[in-house]
Amino acid sequence: MPETTHPYRHAYPRPYTSYVYAYPHKTAYRPLPDRPALAGLWADEPKDALSLYAHIPFCEVRCGFCNLFTRIGAPDELTTRYLDALDRQATAVRDALGDTAPVRFATAAFGGGTPTFLTAAELERLCDIAERRMGADLRAVPLSVETSPSTATADRLTVLAERGATRLSIGVQSFVESEARAAVRPQRRAEVEAALGRIRDCGVPVLNIDLIYGIDGQTEASWSHSLDAALVWRPEELYLYPLYVRPLTGLGRKGPAESEREWDERRLRLYRHGRDHLLARGYRQVSMRMFRRADAPALGPDDHACQTDGMIGLGCGARSYTSRLHYSFDYAVGMPEIRSIIDAYTDTRDFSRAEVGRRVDDGEARRRHLLQSLLQAAGMPLAEYADRFGGGSPFTDFPAELARFEERGWLDTDAPAGLLRLSPEGLAHSDGLGPELFSPAVRAAMAAYEAK
């Protein structure tokens, strides 16, 4: 389908259905009646290329578009109690992993929330938990940390640089102050620029800047202004996120300023404008959202594959993946429920069992592998899929879905033989394409989830 084709022809899905960053989504998780022991879940799993993720659920403010599992502030030494619980959880998880097979972490990340909401001393403790409790070598693997303009202070950044951080990701969203206010993100341009200067000064090799398109009042001209303001800092990575307005968020309570169709069309225009702007300035597209500077240094050795390797999540908003079960803690968006879940987490003494999650059978594993591979600009070698699933083919397993994608022009017909890859238009519609690969069972579970 040419890029000028109307996105609503032939009952195409909306181009911005949902951001597929993990499958199945946590709204498909449910309490696990058997509360399986972690030791049993991990007993037969490969553990030589794990990913470690630590979730810090605190922010200084909550942006109007945010539906992440995070709360504003941390009264009554809550961060201390949270890190105490994180330490207990890490001890229990590392015990469950055992020592009968090599345990190695190939990559690590601290996210949230805002990890740099923690003080410099608390960040030191977080790194100690990752290293001394879990055994991760933070100086030898890629370590990504999220930050914000107001918390990217010199003392915190120094700790992260000294402890091995290879990538700092800062949420700017817009360099236009009126747009930041429209997104209910109170910040001043001068504060943003000062934080970017401190990040560059600390010496962490990779800077990522997050920007958002689709904000009320945003035009191609103001979008270009934000892009160019970001490019002044020559970030190794840029993430361009479409704005979503979700229930129980600040913007969700405000209501839309234009029709869904008008907003979808404006976001598509802004996406294409931003994509072309970056491609013309030496960036290559990694996914619909991610753009990486062509001469950017590698983050370091990374042999973790998100489609196949396990993930250990620490913290009450993190999820963990084995080949047969994805698990986490309870999920919420509303502030009272989030506070309650965090309080329950800090009071927990026994972290040896999985509480909430979803089983992953062979069919779901195939969907997840295809989905996570296809949404990358590089695509998926068919031989890789066949090797994992005993000679299977996505065209045999998902004929109807791939036929629809092909009919819409979302598959790259010029891809090399043996490579399944999205076309530029397919990448543009990633947030509509991805949910079409969800199984009926996962769709039903997500639809039945009651937002809280």
Side-chain angles (χ1 to χ4, degrees):
M1 160 172 104
E3 293 202 345
T4 55
T5 300
H6 197 290
Y8 291 90
R9 284 186 61 196
H10 309 303
Y12 287 174
R14 291 187 62 192
Y16 299 103
T17 303
S18 67
Y19 170 22
V20 184
Y21 59 89
Y23 179 79
H25 190 268
K26 285 175 77 172
T27 54
Y29 290 13
R30 294 295 183 270
L32 299 166
D34 55 340
R35 299 180 62 245
L38 300 187
L41 292 176
W42 286 98
D44 299 322
E45 295 287 321
K47 297 182 278 286
D48 59 341
L50 297 172
S51 174
L52 177 64
Y53 177 76
H55 179 256
I56 305 300
F58 307 111
C59 288
E60 68 279 14
V61 296
R62 191 167 197 188
C63 304
F65 51 84
C66 179
N67 75 331
L68 297 177
F69 188 94
T70 185
R71 62 160 291 164
I72 301 170
D76 303 323
E77 298 186 340
L78 181 56
T79 54
T80 298
R81 289 186 283 116
Y82 187 83
L83 289 173
D84 289 345
L86 199 76
D87 199 341
R88 294 193 299 272
Q89 185 189 7
T91 300
V93 171
R94 184 59 188 85
D95 288 346
L97 292 177
D99 295 308
T100 57
V103 176
R104 173 181 167 270
F105 291 94
T107 182
F110 302 154
T114 308
T116 49
F117 180 91
L118 300 178
T119 65
E122 289 171 332
L123 287 170
E124 289 274 18
R125 186 180 179 196
L126 178 62
C127 292
D128 286 344
I129 291 171
E131 292 189 333
R132 298 175 186 177
R133 294 288 187 260
M134 296 304 302
D137 188 349
L138 298 182
R139 292 176 178 83
V141 301
L143 169 60
S144 178
V145 184
E146 297 172 8
T147 189
S148 68
S150 63
T151 63
T153 58
D155 57 340
R156 292 175 170 104
L157 297 176
T158 296
V159 167
L160 295 174
E162 290 176 349
R163 297 302 293 261
T166 54
R167 177 181 182 268
L168 290 172
S169 178
I170 184 169
V172 173
Q173 319 316 348
S174 178
F175 284 85
V176 179
E177 291 190 4
S178 61
E179 291 180 1
R181 288 194 299 272
V184 195
R185 182 180 177 86
Q187 66 185 22
R188 293 181 299 108
R189 171 78 176 265
E191 178 185 56
V192 172
E193 300 283 357
L196 288 167
R198 290 191 295 271
I199 290 173
R200 279 309 194 198
D201 289 344
C202 81
V204 170
V206 173
L207 163 65
N208 173 72
I209 298 176
D210 288 346
L211 298 175
I212 283 181
Y213 57 92
I215 300 169
D216 282 355
Q218 190 177 48
T219 65
E220 280 88 341
S222 66
W223 182 222
S224 291
H225 179 80
S226 277
L227 291 165
D228 288 337
L231 290 172
V232 167
W233 296 96
R234 299 197 75 240
E236 285 71 24
E237 295 176 3
L238 278 156
Y239 270 71
L240 309 185
Y241 286 95
L243 179 66
Y244 277 94
V245 174
R246 300 176 174 99
L248 302 181
T249 64
L251 291 179
R253 289 184 285 270
K254 178 182 176 184
E258 57 197 321
S259 72
E260 287 184 346
R261 177 172 295 190
E262 291 170 332
W263 192 32
D264 284 348
E265 291 174 340
R266 184 163 65 92
R267 283 183 288 181
L268 277 173
R269 288 196 307 272
L270 292 170
Y271 161 78
R272 290 171 177 141
H273 183 82
R275 175 198 63 192
D276 295 345
H277 199 84
L278 295 183
L279 292 179
R281 287 159 178 79
Y283 286 77
R284 61 181 180 86
Q285 188 167 17
V286 179
S287 68
M288 172 187 162
R289 287 166 172 73
M290 181 182 176
F291 294 80
R292 186 168 174 82
R293 213 177 71 211
D295 62 346
L299 288 172
D302 182 2
D303 53 1
H304 172 83
C306 64
Q307 298 94 331
T308 56
D309 292 326
M311 177 168 169
I312 297 292
L314 301 177
C316 58
R319 66 186 83 200
S320 298
Y321 304 145
T322 72
S323 60
R324 295 180 295 276
L325 178 72
H326 293 187
Y327 62 93
S328 184
F329 297 91
D330 200 5
Y331 173 69
V333 175
M335 195 60 68
E337 289 76 11
I338 289 176
R339 291 193 187 106
S340 176
I341 293 170
I342 293 173
D343 288 343
Y345 175 82
T346 61
D347 288 339
T348 299
R349 293 295 182 270
D350 181 5
F351 287 101
S352 65
R353 294 181 175 275
E355 302 289 342
V356 177
R358 187 168 187 87
R359 303 282 178 182
V360 178
D361 60 19
D362 180 69
E364 294 289 16
R366 291 170 187 259
R367 286 183 184 275
R368 180 172 182 263
H369 191 109
L370 174 61
L371 193 156
Q372 292 190 306
S373 301
L374 195 58
L375 294 183
Q376 300 297 308
M380 183 187 73
L382 296 176
E384 174 188 283
Y385 186 93
D387 287 345
R388 181 177 180 193
F389 298 110
S393 165
F395 289 98
T396 301
D397 294 338
F398 307 103
E401 292 92 335
L402 291 177
R404 285 200 302 271
F405 299 163
E406 185 174 16
E407 179 185 2
R408 296 168 184 166
W410 290 355
L411 300 184
D412 184 0
T413 56
D414 294 325
L419 181 68
L420 178 60
R421 186 170 66 190
L422 294 181
S423 66
E425 185 66 3
L427 277 176
H429 284 78
S430 291
D431 283 7
L433 178 154
E436 289 203 38
L437 289 170
F438 293 2
S439 71
V442 166
R443 289 175 186 272
M446 292 176 67
Y449 175 78
E450 295 184 8
K452 57 184 179 180

